[in-house]
Amino acid sequence: QVQLVESGGGLVQPGGSLRLSCAASGSIFSRYAMGWYRQAPGKQRELVAIITSDSITYSDSVKGRFTISRDNAKNTMYLQMNSLKPEDTAVYYCNAKTFGINYWGQGTQVTVSS
């Protein structure tokens, strides 16, 4: 069982920045494939970024603005979000994949508005 807890969401003006964190339980965190997903009202959940032990992938909509990273010593994953746009408004979810099982956090709201 893997437990994930997100933090760092909030209200920010267009062009601003936020950093999301995802704290994970488990002794083999370094082996998890980790990712950030988001879901805007009335839309399907979509991939934001994925980080594994040897690769990073971003969706086209956030490439160049968002940076995913992880600290295996702290069992924590991060998402640095810069140059935020109103269309980035969504609930952001942390995901972990291990042994073919997906785990999800409870989500954290990010609102980009003036």
Side-chain angles (χ1 to χ4, degrees), residues 9-13 18 109-114:
L11 173 64
V12 64
Q13 292 187 341
L18 281 176
Q109 177 71 45
V110 171
T111 302
V112 185
S113 175
S114 55

Side-chain angles (χ1 to χ4, degrees), residues 32-36 49-57 68-71 77-78:
Y32 302 163
M34 301 291 297
W36 289 98
I50 292 175
I51 183 168
T52 68
S53 59
D54 58 3
S55 68
I56 291 175
T57 303
I68 190 172
S69 62
R70 64 194 297 168
D71 185 337
M77 176 180 65
Y78 305 96

